[in-house]
Amino acid sequence: LYIPGRGMVSAVDGETGAILWETFVEAIPATMILTLESGNLCAATRRRADLEPPGIVTCFSPVDGRVLWRFTNARLHNPDRVAIVGDRVVAASLSGDVFGLDLSTGEIEWEKHVGSSVSRGFASAGDLVFTCPGFSVLEGSRPPFAFESFCVALRASDGEEIWRLPI
């Protein structure tokens, strides 16, 4: 059992409640999203309460909590979505930027701007990640602005947009 909180990720024995290990994570409380897949444990966090970039994605050893790598980027604004898909860690931020990171190194393999905010949903299935970026101002519109709302499917391996569906 892995629990985020108090600026730490803790591994807890589910039967006894004993803490197996704790690792410090540079994050403010209550902003950490954990994902565990195929023996890999990663967290998306934001560094400060004012929501300013950069956010951080950190991957840990689930066995002992050792930090394997950390990723930060000026466009990783308030990362609140993260998934492990195959050999990619896919992180999405409120800025509408989605990053595909190499699972073993944390290096950027691809990045894609999908809209104004990745705030309405994020999921993965197979080699696809799905996000509903919320509302974006239609290109070329003038005040009062016209908005669109949509969901996007991206291939996790290379970031290619597979489809975009208005909602």
Side-chain angles (χ1 to χ4, degrees):
L1 175 63
Y2 302 97
I3 302 173
R6 302 171 302 147
M8 307 283 276
V9 172
S10 302
V12 177
D13 184 302
E15 293 181 13
T16 68
I19 295 175
L20 304 173
W21 55 257
E22 289 186 313
T23 298
F24 171 76
V25 178
E26 190 177 350
I28 62 173
T31 64
M32 192 181 322
I33 305 297
L34 289 176
T35 186
L36 176 68
E37 180 68 36
S38 302
N40 298 287
L41 177 66
C42 296
T45 60
R46 68 175 187 248
R47 198 174 283 189
R48 301 185 340 220
D50 59 9
L51 304 182
E52 287 299 313
I56 304 169
V57 175
T58 307
C59 281
F60 311 87
S61 164
V63 174
D64 60 12
R66 182 174 33 92
V67 172
L68 301 174
W69 54 261
R70 280 192 172 97
F71 168 80
T72 189
N73 185 291
R75 289 180 307 284
L76 189 61
H77 178 82
N78 192 17
D80 64 345
R81 309 285 190 254
V82 65
I84 298 171
V85 183
D87 61 354
R88 296 286 177 266
V89 175
V90 181
S93 72
L94 286 180
S95 63
D97 294 303
V98 181
F99 295 86
L101 309 174
D102 183 282
L103 177 60
S104 60
T105 66
E107 296 293 319
I108 296 176
E109 294 294 325
W110 57 264
E111 64 182 280
K112 178 108 175 150
H113 185 77
V114 295
S116 62
S117 168
V118 179
S119 61
R120 294 179 56 203
F122 188 76
S124 64
D127 186 40
L128 297 178
V129 291
F130 307 92
T131 183
C132 299
F135 298 95
S136 292
V137 176
L138 285 171
E139 191 173 322
S141 68
R142 301 178 192 273
F145 293 107
F147 293 92
E148 64 177 342
S149 182
F150 52 89
C151 291
V152 177
L154 302 175
R155 189 167 41 229
S157 57
D158 61 10
E160 181 179 340
E161 186 172 308
I162 304 302
W163 52 258
R164 182 175 291 247
L165 179 68
I167 56 173

